[in-house]
Amino acid sequence: MHCPPYVTAPIVHPPQCCVQHHFQATIVPHIHPSHTMHVYHQLYEHRHYFPHTESAVAQAANRHLYCPGPMPPFPVGC
């Protein structure tokens, strides 16, 4: 017995886009003037020092849970 082939739904790929570029030359004159400026610099050297110490902090937290219903025989979370 010969079964006909199973045909799936077609896969549609995005269209290929062809771009044509068209150019027109336009002349734009650019004028670049020149100027010399003399700048005199004074350097102030600021020296910063950072002495370092260390300390430690121990933190603790508490949480109170209020559970409805009768109290279980041993502590459990709600």
Side-chain angles (χ1 to χ4, degrees), residues 47-74:
R47 296 187 178 193
H48 298 264
Y49 299 93
F50 300 92
H52 180 74
T53 60
E54 291 188 22
S55 63
V57 175
Q59 294 181 338
N62 291 284
R63 181 169 67 175
H64 296 269
L65 302 175
Y66 296 94
C67 303
M71 183 173 166
F74 53 87

Side-chain angles (χ1 to χ4, degrees), residues 25-45:
T26 302
I27 297 174
V28 179
H30 291 264
I31 301 169
H32 300 275
S34 178
H35 173 76
T36 301
M37 176 187 287
H38 297 273
V39 179
Y40 300 93
H41 299 273
Q42 172 71 42
L43 173 65
Y44 294 93
E45 186 174 273

